[in-house]
Amino acid sequence: STLSLTPAQDWTQHGIKGLVLWFAGDPTNTGADLYVKINNTKLAYDGPADSLMVKTWQMWYIDLQNLAGVNLSNVTQLTLGLSSGRGMIYIDDILLSPHERRLATPVDPDPANLVAHFAFDGNANDSVGGLQGTLVENATYGPGQQGQGLSLNTVTVTDYMEITGYKGIEGSSAFTVALWVKTAETLQQQLMYFGTNTSGQRCEFRIHDNGRIRMGNGGGQVEGFTDVTDDRWHHVVITVAENATNSSSGVRIYIDGRDDTQASEDLDPPYDIVPEVDVIVGYRPSQGDRFFIGQIDELSIYDRV
């Protein structure tokens, strides 16, 4: 697809340093090779080869400062295309940026108020607070995002993990749950459950049947944008503020380091979690459904945002 620029644009003005665009692919794409052409100069995508098979939106930054052979003061055409392969690529938000390329280095969060951390490296031990996870039925360990991970792979029996004797974060207190998740299942799947079966009194952290993350308390929910059911590892975080309601001002969803929260406002009922069942990972005990099918790794629980 070619965009003709009339009149010609001068990309040397206003401190322009980079051309930026966002793209998303599809797991069924084969051999896709994305490129951008500025006038007649072709630039191939320089990121990971499998990026065009990922549904998640990704950014491509093209450094214009060191681009040879292009008259940036007289840009007349911008072309986006695939030089090989089959499938579907989505493009959005093409822009010129005055910023240089900046790479973010992931760091572990401050361990303050970390209640539990399960690495699932061959056991269900909590390395922080001494809590004990119990694997039920055919729940086991398999390849994780780091080392090994929790593997739950069937709906014929009740596979899940129970954090024995731990009822979760109670009342209207703030909390955060973070984990890595990998699944291709498109049915509703419970990631974590605790509390009672009464509206407002429980944690309902799950993947909805549209593949998006949902967080609620039985009386409403907040939902993300991104479909995480592409059989790839995604880092998923939910934060619930103190005295939160099911609104995007009190509950936030983060996917792969980005805020993924859809705007919403639901003030009734507020979070008031009442302890009842032990914390369950991978299953909804109140209804005996929403089995998770896939892998979970590096599960962390904080009693703060």
Side-chain angles (χ1 to χ4, degrees), residues 128-144:
V128 176
L131 299 175
Q132 182 61 52
T134 301
L135 272 57
V136 178
E137 295 289 353
N138 294 327
T140 187
Y141 306 103

PDB file of all heavy atoms in Angstrom, residues 128-144:
ATOM      1  N   VAL A 128       8.758 -16.558  49.349  1.00  0.00           N
ATOM      2  CA  VAL A 128       8.757 -15.316  50.130  1.00  0.00           C
ATOM      3  C   VAL A 128       8.141 -15.523  51.506  1.00  0.00           C
ATOM      4  O   VAL A 128       8.788 -15.301  52.535  1.00  0.00           O
ATOM      5  CB  VAL A 128       8.012 -14.200  49.377  1.00  0.00           C
ATOM      6  CG1 VAL A 128       7.912 -12.944  50.229  1.00  0.00           C
ATOM      7  CG2 VAL A 128       8.709 -13.891  48.062  1.00  0.00           C
ATOM      8  N   GLY A 129       6.878 -15.923  51.532  1.00  0.00           N
ATOM      9  CA  GLY A 129       6.148 -15.966  52.790  1.00  0.00           C
ATOM     10  C   GLY A 129       5.958 -17.342  53.375  1.00  0.00           C
ATOM     11  O   GLY A 129       5.255 -17.500  54.378  1.00  0.00           O
ATOM     12  N   GLY A 130       6.548 -18.363  52.729  1.00  0.00           N
ATOM     13  CA  GLY A 130       6.426 -19.707  53.257  1.00  0.00           C
ATOM     14  C   GLY A 130       5.080 -20.363  53.016  1.00  0.00           C
ATOM     15  O   GLY A 130       4.754 -21.373  53.641  1.00  0.00           O
ATOM     16  N   LEU A 131       4.277 -19.810  52.090  1.00  0.00           N
ATOM     17  CA  LEU A 131       3.014 -20.450  51.751  1.00  0.00           C
ATOM     18  C   LEU A 131       3.272 -21.718  50.953  1.00  0.00           C
ATOM     19  O   LEU A 131       4.344 -21.897  50.364  1.00  0.00           O
ATOM     20  CB  LEU A 131       2.128 -19.495  50.943  1.00  0.00           C
ATOM     21  CG  LEU A 131       1.732 -18.195  51.643  1.00  0.00           C
ATOM     22  CD1 LEU A 131       0.963 -17.290  50.695  1.00  0.00           C
ATOM     23  CD2 LEU A 131       0.897 -18.485  52.890  1.00  0.00           C
ATOM     24  N   GLN A 132       2.294 -22.591  50.899  1.00  0.00           N
ATOM     25  CA  GLN A 132       2.481 -23.870  50.229  1.00  0.00           C
ATOM     26  C   GLN A 132       1.395 -24.099  49.194  1.00  0.00           C
ATOM     27  O   GLN A 132       0.212 -24.116  49.508  1.00  0.00           O
ATOM     28  CB  GLN A 132       2.463 -25.030  51.238  1.00  0.00           C
ATOM     29  CG  GLN A 132       2.692 -26.401  50.612  1.00  0.00           C
ATOM     30  CD  GLN A 132       4.049 -26.497  49.920  1.00  0.00           C
ATOM     31  OE1 GLN A 132       5.083 -26.189  50.520  1.00  0.00           O
ATOM     32  NE2 GLN A 132       4.050 -26.898  48.657  1.00  0.00           N
ATOM     33  N   GLY A 133       1.799 -24.271  47.947  1.00  0.00           N
ATOM     34  CA  GLY A 133       0.862 -24.622  46.900  1.00  0.00           C
ATOM     35  C   GLY A 133       0.696 -26.129  46.814  1.00  0.00           C
ATOM     36  O   GLY A 133       1.643 -26.886  47.032  1.00  0.00           O
ATOM     37  N   THR A 134      -0.518 -26.552  46.503  1.00  0.00           N
ATOM     38  CA  THR A 134      -0.822 -27.975  46.345  1.00  0.00           C
ATOM     39  C   THR A 134      -1.384 -28.204  44.951  1.00  0.00           C
ATOM     40  O   THR A 134      -2.390 -27.584  44.573  1.00  0.00           O
ATOM     41  CB  THR A 134      -1.844 -28.443  47.395  1.00  0.00           C
ATOM     42  OG1 THR A 134      -1.317 -28.199  48.709  1.00  0.00           O
ATOM     43  CG2 THR A 134      -2.140 -29.921  47.241  1.00  0.00           C
ATOM     44  N   LEU A 135      -0.752 -29.083  44.169  1.00  0.00           N
ATOM     45  CA  LEU A 135      -1.230 -29.420  42.845  1.00  0.00           C
ATOM     46  C   LEU A 135      -2.292 -30.507  42.950  1.00  0.00           C
ATOM     47  O   LEU A 135      -2.116 -31.485  43.668  1.00  0.00           O
ATOM     48  CB  LEU A 135      -0.088 -29.890  41.949  1.00  0.00           C
ATOM     49  CG  LEU A 135       0.657 -28.791  41.173  1.00  0.00           C
ATOM     50  CD1 LEU A 135       1.223 -27.740  42.104  1.00  0.00           C
ATOM     51  CD2 LEU A 135       1.742 -29.393  40.310  1.00  0.00           C
ATOM     52  N   VAL A 136      -3.400 -30.321  42.244  1.00  0.00           N
ATOM     53  CA  VAL A 136      -4.542 -31.222  42.336  1.00  0.00           C
ATOM     54  C   VAL A 136      -4.724 -31.972  41.012  1.00  0.00           C
ATOM     55  O   VAL A 136      -4.554 -31.393  39.928  1.00  0.00           O
ATOM     56  CB  VAL A 136      -5.824 -30.435  42.685  1.00  0.00           C
ATOM     57  CG1 VAL A 136      -7.026 -31.358  42.747  1.00  0.00           C
ATOM     58  CG2 VAL A 136      -5.642 -29.706  44.028  1.00  0.00           C
ATOM     59  N   GLU A 137      -5.104 -33.254  41.117  1.00  0.00           N
ATOM     60  CA  GLU A 137      -5.338 -34.137  39.969  1.00  0.00           C
ATOM     61  C   GLU A 137      -4.090 -34.202  39.087  1.00  0.00           C
ATOM     62  O   GLU A 137      -3.031 -34.521  39.587  1.00  0.00           O
ATOM     63  CB  GLU A 137      -6.579 -33.695  39.188  1.00  0.00           C
ATOM     64  CG  GLU A 137      -7.885 -33.817  39.965  1.00  0.00           C
ATOM     65  CD  GLU A 137      -8.325 -35.263  40.189  1.00  0.00           C
ATOM     66  OE1 GLU A 137      -7.702 -36.192  39.645  1.00  0.00           O
ATOM     67  OE2 GLU A 137      -9.322 -35.448  40.922  1.00  0.00           O
ATOM     68  N   ASN A 138      -4.212 -33.863  37.792  1.00  0.00           N
ATOM     69  CA  ASN A 138      -3.104 -34.031  36.855  1.00  0.00           C
ATOM     70  C   ASN A 138      -2.267 -32.764  36.660  1.00  0.00           C
ATOM     71  O   ASN A 138      -1.480 -32.694  35.708  1.00  0.00           O
ATOM     72  CB  ASN A 138      -3.630 -34.501  35.499  1.00  0.00           C
ATOM     73  CG  ASN A 138      -4.228 -35.891  35.566  1.00  0.00           C
ATOM     74  OD1 ASN A 138      -3.774 -36.726  36.348  1.00  0.00           O
ATOM     75  ND2 ASN A 138      -5.237 -36.151  34.748  1.00  0.00           N
ATOM     76  N   ALA A 139      -2.463 -31.764  37.501  1.00  0.00           N
ATOM     77  CA  ALA A 139      -1.604 -30.575  37.423  1.00  0.00           C
ATOM     78  C   ALA A 139      -0.149 -30.990  37.594  1.00  0.00           C
ATOM     79  O   ALA A 139       0.180 -31.845  38.418  1.00  0.00           O
ATOM     80  CB  ALA A 139      -1.996 -29.581  38.504  1.00  0.00           C
ATOM     81  N   THR A 140       0.734 -30.387  36.786  1.00  0.00           N
ATOM     82  CA  THR A 140       2.128 -30.811  36.814  1.00  0.00           C
ATOM     83  C   THR A 140       3.031 -29.629  36.452  1.00  0.00           C
ATOM     84  O   THR A 140       2.589 -28.479  36.424  1.00  0.00           O
ATOM     85  CB  THR A 140       2.350 -31.986  35.841  1.00  0.00           C
ATOM     86  OG1 THR A 140       3.678 -32.486  35.992  1.00  0.00           O
ATOM     87  CG2 THR A 140       2.118 -31.567  34.388  1.00  0.00           C
ATOM     88  N   TYR A 141       4.291 -29.911  36.167  1.00  0.00           N
ATOM     89  CA  TYR A 141       5.256 -28.893  35.782  1.00  0.00           C
ATOM     90  C   TYR A 141       5.743 -29.183  34.373  1.00  0.00           C
ATOM     91  O   TYR A 141       5.888 -30.338  33.970  1.00  0.00           O
ATOM     92  CB  TYR A 141       6.435 -28.851  36.755  1.00  0.00           C
ATOM     93  CG  TYR A 141       5.996 -28.687  38.189  1.00  0.00           C
ATOM     94  CD1 TYR A 141       5.988 -29.785  39.057  1.00  0.00           C
ATOM     95  CD2 TYR A 141       5.555 -27.464  38.676  1.00  0.00           C
ATOM     96  CE1 TYR A 141       5.570 -29.654  40.363  1.00  0.00           C
ATOM     97  CE2 TYR A 141       5.122 -27.326  39.987  1.00  0.00           C
ATOM     98  CZ  TYR A 141       5.128 -28.429  40.823  1.00  0.00           C
ATOM     99  OH  TYR A 141       4.691 -28.298  42.117  1.00  0.00           O
ATOM    100  N   GLY A 142       5.987 -28.133  33.621  1.00  0.00           N
ATOM    101  CA  GLY A 142       6.501 -28.254  32.268  1.00  0.00           C
ATOM    102  C   GLY A 142       7.358 -27.053  31.937  1.00  0.00           C
ATOM    103  O   GLY A 142       7.671 -26.245  32.820  1.00  0.00           O
ATOM    104  N   PRO A 143       7.737 -26.885  30.674  1.00  0.00           N
ATOM    105  CA  PRO A 143       8.554 -25.731  30.293  1.00  0.00           C
ATOM    106  C   PRO A 143       7.847 -24.423  30.642  1.00  0.00           C
ATOM    107  O   PRO A 143       6.683 -24.225  30.298  1.00  0.00           O
ATOM    108  CB  PRO A 143       8.700 -25.892  28.774  1.00  0.00           C
ATOM    109  CG  PRO A 143       8.488 -27.349  28.529  1.00  0.00           C
ATOM    110  CD  PRO A 143       7.483 -27.788  29.540  1.00  0.00           C
ATOM    111  N   GLY A 144       8.551 -23.558  31.349  1.00  0.00           N
ATOM    112  CA  GLY A 144       7.987 -22.276  31.749  1.00  0.00           C
ATOM    113  C   GLY A 144       8.585 -21.123  30.979  1.00  0.00           C
ATOM    114  O   GLY A 144       9.428 -21.312  30.097  1.00  0.00           O
TER     115      GLY A 144
END
